[in-house]
Amino acid sequence: VSHWWGEPVKCFVACLRGHMRDRQLAITTAYWVCAYANNQWQAGDEVGDDPAKSSFRRAIDKSVGTVTVLDDTATTYTRIWCSYEIFVTLTTDRGSQKYIYDVYSAIAEGSNSVGLTDGYAVADFESARFKSMREGMFPRGLVEKALECKIDKAEASVETDRVHILNAIAGSPDLNAAPATSHAEYDRINRMLRGCFAVRSLGLALSSECTEEVAGKYARAMLESRMAEMNLDMSLAKDAKLAMGIIQTALPDSLETLAITWYSAELGSSAGTGIAGAIRPLQRLKHLKIDLYYAKVGLDGGAALGECIGSLRRLEKLELWLNGNELGAFGGSSVISSLPRLCELKELFLSVDDNGLDDEIVPELVTAVRAMPSIKKVWIGLSMNRIGDECKNKLKECEAELKARSEPVESASSSERLAEDHRSP
């Protein structure tokens, strides 16, 4: 737990209770808290001169995640040991094991709390909408302060701690030397933390009266973060044009995983063309999810998305939830014809329910799937279209072929159940 000792204990406890609730952790789950874990009568022995050998670092190395308890003035981000904990949390490479970073703050005078979580919490049921609603009460003022944080300006009760930590962050061989007043590593960590906050609180900002100036701060923080993963939910945006502007200007080309969710906004063809234009430069993408639920991007929007997707040659997993977008035969065919160009694609989830499609789309779809050299898993949703039994049987034949490769294709009939599980209108 990364926190400032000055917050009321009531608020501190409320934050950890909220964290356990949202993550649905067992009552036996242990939290490491320096105030209680360290011997405060011999704090020097616990900390030492090298932060990498301190009790703080050992605790992080043995944990599965860090949760910041953010007080009502965001003092946490002005304390040097908290800065060091964030530095280790955001930069340590654990290989395939994801290290979680959550931020919680007390609300209602400490009687409850709300958190910005790293990905979905269990309480979100893997729903972007549920996540946005849960996080909607996070104090906006704290987000704005976090977007301006500078860990190199953090303070310490013991000056030698500040010297040691800044030198450790900068990679200086002499931890006791006067620390650099500016350094590329300071800037990198600041950008990472700001980007982290910007991505997680973007939906929260857009759900209120967000000005162009504030939107610009979010876009800059995201673009400069050089993050590898972003999950953006624009469903609650009051100003669709402003939200689209952020998508078009804020995505760094360092992204390897990107999810964009926008429910029931009836955005029109500009949504398809706008998102396609923003994604096309992201040539490092390996996992892409686009969830436009009844956005009505139409023929032109579908064509733009298809052309863009076909250019992302490193994709290994593609999720397209395009239900109710009035794609028609042209838009649907544009998306499907892009698939064989994805030579490294292993997993495809394609839901095009209620798009005015007919039997002619099925042979195109089967041909496209058979032409994908690396595909292992395919899920197709075609309900509420004019698809006859004969064409459904063709999909089943394709399913049988893929079983020989690896995992089965789910047929259109079974897709109706999965699509229903995915969301309700």
Side-chain angles (χ1 to χ4, degrees), residues 57-108:
R57 178 58 186 263
R58 295 197 303 271
I60 292 176
D61 288 343
K62 292 182 178 180
S63 300
V64 297
T66 295
V67 54
T68 285
V69 173
L70 194 57
D71 59 286
D72 59 6
T73 59
T75 303
T76 303
Y77 287 136
T78 69
R79 306 305 300 172
I80 197 65
W81 274 110
C82 294
S83 296
Y84 179 73
E85 291 161 351
I86 302 308
F87 161 70
V88 175
T89 295
L90 295 179
T91 60
T92 301
D93 184 4
R94 300 206 178 193
S96 60
Q97 181 183 359
K98 181 178 176 59
Y99 190 84
I100 295 171
Y101 178 50
D102 298 334
V103 181
Y104 273 70
S105 186
I107 57 175

Side-chain angles (χ1 to χ4, degrees), residues 11 59 80 126 131 139 179 190 273 281 283 294 334 371 383 399 402 419:
C11 296
I80 197 65
E126 295 190 10
K131 177 177 170 67
N190 287 335
T273 56
Q283 293 299 313
Y294 283 84
S334 298
S383 62
E399 173 183 357
L402 271 186

Side-chain angles (χ1 to χ4, degrees), residues 147 191 194-195 197-199 202 205-206 210-227 230 232 234 242-252:
L147 291 178
R191 290 195 300 267
R194 293 169 191 164
F197 252 92
V199 168
L202 178 60
L206 292 174
C210 183
T211 65
E212 290 187 4
E213 180 182 1
V214 172
K217 287 183 179 180
Y218 274 83
R220 284 191 298 275
M222 293 164 61
L223 183 63
E224 295 173 357
S225 69
R226 307 298 298 165
M227 295 175 71
M230 288 186 179
L232 309 177
M234 321 301 279
L242 191 67
M244 182 60 69
I246 291 178
I247 289 178
Q248 292 175 319
T249 59
L251 304 182

Side-chain angles (χ1 to χ4, degrees), residues 11 21 36 56 73 90 92 120 142 162 193 199 244 258 265 280 294 305 329 340 361 370 377 392 404 425:
C11 296
R21 174 197 64 219
Y36 310 121
F56 295 86
T73 59
L90 295 179
T92 301
Y120 294 121
L142 292 184
R162 189 186 72 85
L193 181 57
V199 168
M244 182 60 69
L258 173 64
R280 190 175 290 107
Y294 283 84
L305 286 172
I361 204 71
R370 286 172 174 166
K377 183 176 182 180
K392 290 180 180 178

